[in-house]
Amino acid sequence: MHLRSFAFLITLASSVMISAQTHIHEVALEPGETAEKILEKAANLVPSPRQLAFHQLEYTCFIHFGPNTFTGMEWGSGKEDPAIFNPGETLDTDQWCRIAKEAGMRMMLITVKHHDGFCVWQTRYNDRFSVRGIPWREGKGDVLRELANSCRKHGLKLGVYLSPADLYQIESADGLYGNGSTAVESVIPTDPASFQSAPDRIRADKPKDAPEFRLKADDYNRYFMNQLYELLTEYGPIHEVWFDGAHPKRKGNQQYLKREWFELIRKLAPEAVIFGGPDVRWCGNEAGKTRSAEWNVIPVSSMEESGVDRPDDDIGSDAMVVQPQYTVYGQTYQARHLYYIVPEINTSIRAGWFWRNEHEQAVRSADDVFDIYERAVGGNGIFLLNVPPDKSGRIAPRDEASLTEAGRRIRETYGDRSLMEGASSEATGILDNDLVTAWKPAGTTGEFVVRLKSPQEVNRVVLQEAIGTVGQRVARHALDAEIDGQWREVATAETIGYKRILRFPAVTTAAFRVRILAARATPAIATFSAHFYQLPPPALEVRREGTSVVIRPPATGGFAWKPHGQGDPSAQGVMQIHYTLDGSAPTADSPRYEKPFALPSGGRVRAVAITGGKSGPPCDVTVALDPSSWTIRSCSSQESDQYAGAKAIDGNRDSFWHSRWSTPDPHPHHLEIDLGQPHDIAALTYLPRQDKAVPDGMVEAGEISFSKDGETWSKPQAFRLGNLVNDPSERTILLDKPLHGARYLRFTSTAGAAGKPYAAAAEIGLLPAE
């Protein structure tokens, strides 16, 4: 149904009860409507066919691949030499798709143009900052074409992310973004040769059966819509078009013709959902955090504003849905409609959206990926996991290992329905794995029992509502297991929607009872299934804390980039940790870790967790030197004793050295450190301040040098650190070659993040040479 058919919707909804068979996924709000009427409308909205199909994808893959892959930056400037994009002949989109399929993903969503403006497909409208204008494959390379072919080969759907922001078009002298052009009669697709001189002249090679669009448009909107036209007509079926609201820089009060964009997409790609528009919305963070109650129906001001970020935790509750206004980032919008919009939980498997390097960029563990999958897909959302290829155009081994292991767990846990064989229930329709047939109680609350064929060990239960025919209604529910003839509550949760995965410590039982405790209207439960997840031994982290080395499961999955409090609350089990210091692989016969231990000269520590005879993923870390005997020899600038240079070597990650900000000194800033005795050094580690993710005090560029006597210094080695604000994790600066017998270190900051004049460090460490 066309999104502008509000008059038709108002008439259709005048009796409040909305026929689900017509797939009404939006409705106007009338002035003076009661809260009860508004909630009844919300309870009867259902997904459109394209939204329902998108729900069923569940888990999809995001690809960020462009100039930033080669510069190590998160956001490019639009001023890069486009020739830097050169994956050679190793680009392997088949590998991307094979890994994604093994991971359990069902669609590839590729960034065809990020904020820098570089285009990775053969666009007719940009032959300078695109694959058409670079030496790679003599200007004939087409990443999107290769991926589209691989998706067809591997049975995956395809989506495209086209950034509305475009720094190349902003920064170029003849750039189109915000260039002050007026809206003139235009045709899409436009003849590239007369793009500005005769914008109403149609492209000669327009696909024969594809429609044309006539509208008034300025230069940039015409450019953007022509690129959309190429993407949606030349690469096969597109199932998601992804927009975001990021604006690294604006110019000329550029406005977007979103209504016209959406119309073009509906005509050219009728199966595609629009993210950042009327179909799919952002979950509110980039960390994999999920809401305890994720409602699909939310108040919206207009179709153009339907894609506005909704980061708050409470956006779809009863209290919010009935409000006449809602606020996003301090701006107030009028609630004029209710939309059914699918939530998408997006995050990256790496610390950052683009591949940066292999020696410091953290990768999410399989534990973390599986946990987010259960909370995202099992929390009524779509899980969109970014997997950035490296400079060779391939997914790196660490990423592949994490993805394939998480995929194995997904298949073994949720692909196995053996626990349901022979199950029975008086609630009809819940055991047929069909989203249409459903059990309904007499009112808004009720309960049903499912009996298994025999007692089984269970720690996961999956519930689904019949959202396609009835809508999302359950607000609160509970799960009981029959233990020794008595019902015992094992899990509670709020919304269900498309899918709810209930996680709980394993119980052995032959019967479960589901209790619907609150709902907006009579609910319809479509499926019930019980599963068992074999909890594996966890990944470990090894880190220095003061004078000791600690080995343990990481509290945040060992992933500092945008942490979200990850973890499975049902995880349990007896675990032993074994480790080695000689470089050999740890086994059950290796020394058992009982408590923190001293390792004054640092060194290589390998560790593994073992549970029930099974080993978890191995951990292999070089631990830094013990800094407890180090002293600050000189410090060029510090704000006060609270931020003294010694704070950078005190073993405390929460304290930090900071140069003066009250009367800031210009760069460079330096620390000279006496290590107390000579050491053989392989690398330096730098931990930015951990209290705030702000550029104030983060060192972006600098130099390091060493001395044996404090008088004669080695040639300074320059370094540059990118994306510190978004990823304030510890960075490792490898020396060009190991340095032997170093007694003194000079750490110099030559540039601060975001051009700030300050320098700071929570911890500076040194890794020993083997």
Side-chain angles (χ1 to χ4, degrees):
M1 179 171 292
H2 197 285
L3 288 170
R4 289 195 291 179
S5 303
F6 292 129
F8 173 63
L9 289 176
I10 292 170
T11 302
L12 188 62
S14 60
S15 62
V16 179
M17 291 302 295
I18 302 170
S19 170
Q21 296 304 314
T22 54
H23 294 284
I24 304 303
H25 58 285
E26 52 180 301
V27 65
L29 294 172
E30 300 286 357
E33 276 187 314
T34 65
E36 290 75 15
K37 276 193 173 183
I38 294 173
L39 288 173
E40 193 168 1
K41 283 184 174 182
N44 285 280
L45 291 183
V46 300
S48 66
R50 66 174 67 89
Q51 287 178 312
L52 183 58
F54 188 68
H55 263 304
Q56 293 170 321
L57 291 180
E58 297 191 344
Y59 184 22
T60 60
C61 184
F62 213 174
I63 296 290
H64 278 68
F65 186 53
N68 295 347
T69 307
F70 299 85
T71 63
M73 304 299 290
E74 276 294 279
W75 283 11
S77 67
K79 300 178 181 178
E80 294 85 357
D81 178 355
I84 196 173
F85 182 82
N86 185 5
E89 295 307 310
T90 54
L91 173 66
D92 191 350
T93 56
D94 273 349
Q95 185 230 22
W96 303 358
C97 291
R98 174 184 58 77
I99 293 172
K101 197 159 187 178
E102 289 177 2
M105 298 165 166
R106 294 176 176 143
M107 185 178 75
M108 306 296 289
L109 173 65
I110 182 171
T111 304
V112 292
K113 185 189 80 162
H114 201 244
H115 312 321
D116 52 47
F118 185 84
C119 305
V120 302
W121 81 99
Q122 285 287 318
T123 178
R124 299 164 179 80
Y125 302 92
N126 186 338
D127 58 6
R128 289 181 293 178
F129 204 62
S130 73
V131 289
R132 289 176 74 104
I134 60 175
W136 180 62
R137 296 189 177 170
E138 299 180 339
K140 296 179 181 178
D142 193 326
V143 179
L144 180 59
R145 175 75 60 201
E146 295 193 34
L147 180 58
N149 293 338
S150 295
C151 284
R152 284 189 288 271
K153 177 179 176 180
H154 291 273
L156 297 170
K157 297 187 183 303
L158 178 65
V160 291
Y161 164 24
L162 186 69
S163 170
D166 192 317
L167 285 165
Y168 174 76
Q169 296 294 344
I170 289 176
E171 301 290 359
S172 299
D174 57 353
L176 304 176
Y177 188 108
N179 68 352
S181 59
T182 57
V184 297
E185 293 293 340
S186 304
V187 64
I188 310 295
T190 315
D191 175 15
S194 59
F195 180 82
Q196 288 174 294
S197 60
D200 59 347
R201 184 178 300 162
I202 198 163
R203 204 180 83 204
D205 61 345
K206 178 185 81 70
K208 181 179 179 181
D209 298 324
E212 63 185 62
F213 299 84
R214 295 192 177 272
L215 73 160
K216 283 191 173 182
D218 62 273
D219 287 349
Y220 185 70
N221 275 290
R222 187 166 59 254
Y223 172 77
F224 194 83
M225 292 181 71
N226 271 291
Q227 292 198 324
L228 271 177
Y229 195 99
E230 291 177 318
L231 297 170
L232 301 181
T233 58
E234 300 177 22
Y235 293 89
I238 300 297
H239 286 84
E240 183 176 15
V241 180
W242 211 90
F243 303 127
D244 68 5
H247 285 92
K249 190 173 183 179
R250 294 179 182 268
K251 179 184 176 184
N253 193 31
Q254 178 68 55
Q255 301 297 308
Y256 299 148
L257 300 179
K258 287 190 176 181
R259 184 177 291 271
E260 286 75 9
W261 297 0
F262 297 163
E263 287 181 355
L264 181 142
I265 295 167
R266 289 290 191 242
K267 280 282 187 70
L268 298 179
E271 296 178 319
V273 294
I274 303 171
F275 176 94
D279 299 320
V280 184
R281 60 178 169 80
W282 188 46
C283 67
N285 66 93
E286 296 178 342
K289 178 184 176 183
T290 51
R291 297 179 174 96
S292 60
E294 192 70 76
W295 289 98
N296 293 319
V297 176
I298 61 172
V300 169
S301 180
S302 70
M303 180 176 65
E304 291 87 341
E305 292 160 343
S306 58
V308 171
D309 291 349
R310 305 295 279 270
D312 295 340
D313 284 339
D314 183 14
I315 64 171
S317 67
D318 290 3
M320 288 299 297
V321 165
V322 302
Q323 294 296 318
Q325 299 174 329
Y326 60 94
T327 302
V328 181
Y329 300 142
Q331 183 172 345
T332 299
Y333 298 84
Q334 299 300 314
R336 297 188 176 96
H337 314 275
L338 294 179
Y339 275 16
Y340 185 109
I341 308 186
V342 181
E344 189 174 76
I345 292 83
N346 66 320
T347 191
S348 182
I349 196 169
R350 283 191 167 241
W353 293 104
F354 288 87
W355 182 91
R356 189 167 67 244
N357 58 46
E358 286 303 318
H359 69 272
E360 66 175 3
Q361 194 176 20
V363 173
R364 291 189 188 276
S365 67
D367 294 341
D368 195 12
V369 173
F370 184 73
D371 170 51
I372 301 174
Y373 171 88
E374 289 193 305
R375 289 185 292 100
V377 176
N380 187 42
I382 296 290
F383 181 21
L384 174 61
L385 181 62
N386 181 62
V387 185
D390 63 17
K391 291 181 180 179
S392 72
R394 293 177 58 83
I395 293 172
R398 286 189 296 156
D399 309 55
E400 180 178 2
S402 178
L403 288 165
T404 53
E405 169 58 18
R408 181 194 67 78
R409 298 182 194 182
I410 292 168
R411 286 190 301 276
E412 290 189 0
T413 304
Y414 297 106
D416 180 9
R417 295 183 59 86
S418 61
L419 299 186
M420 299 305 297
E421 292 177 3
S424 61
S425 177
E426 77 281 5
T428 58
I430 65 167
L431 300 180
D432 57 5
N433 201 31
D434 188 319
L435 272 180
V436 176
T437 58
W439 165 86
K440 298 179 182 179
T444 56
T445 62
E447 61 185 50
F448 63 85
V449 174
V450 175
R451 296 197 176 275
L452 308 181
K453 186 176 180 179
S454 60
Q456 303 284 350
E457 190 175 14
V458 179
N459 58 8
R460 300 290 192 275
V461 158
V462 177
L463 296 170
Q464 292 183 278
E465 289 185 77
I467 58 169
T469 55
V470 176
Q472 182 188 20
R473 297 180 172 182
V474 174
R476 192 161 46 89
H477 63 289
L479 177 71
D480 305 327
E482 192 175 50
I483 309 291
D484 298 328
Q486 301 291 321
W487 290 114
R488 190 181 87 194
E489 184 176 277
V490 295
T492 60
E494 297 177 67
T495 52
I496 295 177
Y498 168 73
K499 181 175 285 187
R500 167 67 73 173
I501 296 176
L502 296 168
R503 309 189 294 190
F504 47 91
V507 296
T508 299
T509 184
F512 285 100
R513 181 175 66 181
V514 175
R515 290 179 286 127
I516 306 301
L517 304 175
R520 285 180 172 172
T522 301
I525 307 301
T527 72
F528 172 100
S529 59
H531 306 267
F532 180 70
Y533 170 47
Q534 182 62 57
L535 300 169
L540 298 172
E541 70 172 0
V542 177
R543 63 191 296 176
R544 175 174 292 285
E545 292 188 354
T547 60
S548 299
V549 174
V550 176
I551 308 175
R552 63 189 172 204
T556 60
F559 196 75
W561 184 74
K562 300 183 186 294
H564 56 78
Q566 54 263 55
D568 177 0
S570 71
Q572 59 179 355
V574 178
M575 175 186 68
Q576 293 185 355
I577 296 175
H578 295 266
Y579 71 100
T580 63
L581 300 178
D582 60 4
S584 61
T587 67
D589 296 325
S590 302
R592 182 176 173 182
Y593 175 77
E594 303 282 359
K595 61 182 180 180
F597 57 88
L599 196 64
S601 297
R604 187 178 183 187
V605 179
R606 303 185 68 182
V608 67
I610 300 177
T611 302
K614 294 185 177 181
S615 298
C619 178
D620 190 343
V621 174
T622 299
V623 175
L625 303 173
D626 180 354
S628 58
S629 62
W630 299 359
T631 57
I632 297 297
R633 193 174 184 221
S634 69
C635 175
S636 63
S637 173
Q638 67 184 48
E639 174 62 18
S640 65
D641 289 345
Q642 183 181 353
Y643 303 102
K647 301 295 183 179
I649 57 171
D650 63 357
N652 181 357
R653 298 167 65 91
D654 296 327
S655 65
F656 56 93
W657 157 63
H658 200 296
S659 64
R660 278 189 294 271
W661 61 72
S662 52
T663 54
D665 298 318
H667 284 288
H669 304 293
H670 78 268
L671 289 175
E672 281 188 16
I673 303 171
D674 182 350
L675 309 180
Q677 62 184 42
H679 291 280
D680 297 339
I681 308 298
L684 179 142
T685 62
Y686 169 74
L687 182 70
R689 59 184 294 183
Q690 298 294 290
D691 63 326
K692 294 180 180 179
V694 294
D696 179 5
M698 291 186 173
V699 176
E700 187 170 274
E703 297 176 342
I704 50 177
S705 55
F706 294 89
S707 173
K708 294 182 178 181
D709 57 9
E711 301 294 333
T712 303
W713 293 87
S714 63
K715 181 181 178 181
Q717 178 176 322
F719 66 86
R720 179 168 289 275
L721 306 173
N723 194 33
L724 283 167
V725 177
N726 287 321
D727 178 19
S729 58
E730 185 175 78
R731 304 303 180 87
T732 300
I733 303 164
L734 300 174
L735 300 187
D736 294 335
K737 60 181 180 179
L739 198 65
H740 299 283
R743 165 76 186 261
Y744 301 94
L745 161 68
R746 179 183 288 157
F747 175 87
T748 303
S749 170
T750 58
K756 297 292 185 180
Y758 318 107
E763 286 297 307
I764 293 173
L766 294 173
L767 302 183
E770 292 188 12

